[in-house]
Amino acid sequence: MLLAPKLSCPTVPLSNGLQIPIFGLGTSHDGGYSHDTIVYALTECGVRHIDTAKRYGCEENLGNAIRESGIPRRDLWVTNKLWPGDYGYKAAKKACLDSCSQMGVTYFDLYLMHWPESTQPGCSNREMRAETWRALEELHKERLCSAIGVSNFLVRHLEELKEDCSVVPHVNQVFTNDMTHQVEYHPFQQPNQLVEYCRQEGIVFEGYSPLAKGQVLNNPTILRIAQKYRRTSAQICIRWSIQNGVVTIPKSIKKERIQENCQVFGFHLEESDMATLASLDDGRHVTWDPTNVE
């Protein structure tokens, strides 16, 4: 296999002054982890942004891969996510510390609430979100989490959090992963109202797995644009997301796919092609979404 050129990745500023790499590598619990591929991404491709979650069950393995890579911890951006089963003030703080221990790190660069709905009895979703967010605020204050955020929150969830708590989320991550019931962001589903709200509030918008479960790869319009730039459909969609200012976290367990996905900074989509891709929004959902979560 030809080695990929080392990635030179731009960053996006967070409201607290930190800089998050605009491109990263995602993992998942459904066959979404490969030790050799993670090491390859870090050592041969220059990836410095890794996204995981307790839900994925690969924290210990991922920590081992990071250590094997030899990349200093200070040079990495590591995102982890808190599962709803650990919501609540005490439970959330314990879960974060446990995840740090599992990965063999002393802090996370970004720690997210994974989903707006609580599985804990006795409280409304809003009450539990607020209680849990206050735990994340404490973790941030204690520097166990350099930045804190949410995942799959809609405008109304974010508005309530602003009213109930003191720190506005630094990031709102949205997914296209069919196993975790996510808000989607890809050419076929563009939640522009949510994107614009986040930007107005200083919340960085982050998208995970931007390929619509592979549905974008054989779309005739995307294939035509890919041919124009002599790139793959995946590269076109990742580039489209990045040019929209969205922190983009595709995932793969294949080294050749990681290599391909990393090669998105050597070209620029013309405005007409950006507009064409934007016009593909047909309201299609390839996953569940949190629309009905109160």
Side-chain angles (χ1 to χ4, degrees):
M1 177 187 296
L2 292 175
L3 296 182
K6 291 295 178 67
L7 183 67
S8 178
C9 182
T11 60
V12 175
L14 301 183
S15 60
N16 64 352
L18 296 180
Q19 299 280 336
I20 181 172
I22 200 168
F23 177 90
L25 175 62
T27 56
S28 76
H29 68 286
D30 185 32
Y33 178 82
S34 165
H35 179 87
D36 290 344
T37 298
I38 294 291
V39 174
Y40 173 80
L42 293 170
T43 60
E44 303 298 341
C45 298
V47 170
R48 293 295 181 265
H49 180 174
I50 300 291
D51 181 281
T52 193
K54 177 180 178 178
R55 173 75 170 97
Y56 304 159
C58 60
E59 291 174 317
E60 183 177 0
N61 291 333
L62 185 55
N64 290 335
I66 288 172
R67 284 187 290 278
E68 183 177 325
S69 76
I71 306 299
R73 174 66 183 89
R74 64 181 178 274
D75 294 338
L76 295 174
W77 183 281
V78 179
T79 297
N80 206 332
K81 294 183 282 295
L82 175 73
W83 189 243
D86 292 317
Y87 283 4
Y89 183 82
K90 290 183 179 180
K93 295 195 74 173
K94 182 180 184 301
C96 180
L97 291 170
D98 288 346
S99 288
C100 283
S101 178
Q102 282 290 309
M103 290 191 67
V105 300
T106 58
Y107 70 97
F108 293 121
D109 297 277
L110 177 62
Y111 197 53
L112 307 173
M113 292 178 62
H114 205 149
W115 180 245
E117 186 173 23
S118 170
T119 61
Q120 305 287 11
C123 290
S124 68
N125 287 326
R126 177 173 182 170
E127 290 171 330
M128 187 56 71
R129 286 193 296 265
E131 180 182 333
T132 303
W133 186 251
R134 283 190 283 272
L136 266 64
E137 290 179 337
E138 285 293 315
L139 291 165
H140 180 238
K141 185 177 180 180
E142 295 165 1
R143 300 185 179 181
L144 289 167
C145 306
S146 301
I148 53 177
V150 296
S151 181
N152 309 299
F153 277 43
L154 301 179
V155 170
R156 66 175 182 274
H157 304 135
L158 293 166
E159 280 286 294
E160 289 173 355
L161 207 59
K162 279 176 55 185
E163 294 174 6
D164 297 337
C165 303
S166 58
V167 177
V168 175
H170 300 120
V171 171
N172 185 20
Q173 184 185 89
V174 300
F175 291 66
T176 55
N177 185 317
D178 62 313
M179 295 302 292
T180 45
H181 319 317
Q182 316 292 358
V183 180
E184 301 174 25
Y185 185 81
H186 49 75
F188 300 144
Q189 178 61 238
Q190 302 169 42
N192 292 322
Q193 181 183 4
L194 177 60
V195 173
E196 185 56 31
Y197 174 86
C198 288
R199 288 176 177 162
Q200 289 176 356
E201 297 296 326
I203 302 169
V204 167
F205 193 85
E206 181 174 331
Y208 183 92
S209 192
L211 305 179
K213 294 176 63 178
Q215 290 187 22
V216 300
L217 301 182
N218 295 313
N219 178 271
T221 299
I222 296 174
L223 285 169
R224 175 177 57 78
I225 294 174
Q227 184 176 25
K228 172 182 175 179
Y229 291 91
R230 297 184 179 180
R231 300 284 177 161
T232 66
S233 294
Q235 288 171 330
I236 294 300
C237 291
I238 293 169
R239 182 67 207 178
W240 170 80
S241 180
I242 286 171
Q243 276 187 223
N244 280 323
V246 173
V247 177
T248 304
I249 315 291
K251 69 177 180 68
S252 180
I253 60 172
K254 297 180 179 179
K255 294 180 181 179
E256 60 271 21
R257 193 70 68 197
I258 299 295
Q259 180 182 2
E260 174 187 330
N261 290 347
C262 286
Q263 295 174 6
V264 293
F265 296 102
F267 71 104
H268 193 87
L269 294 172
E270 296 176 3
E271 287 302 316
S272 59
D273 294 318
M274 290 291 290
T276 297
L277 291 166
S279 73
L280 295 177
D281 187 356
D282 58 12
R284 184 185 323 180
H285 280 285
V286 298
T287 72
W288 292 15
D289 67 66
T291 301
N292 295 320
V293 176
E294 295 300 329

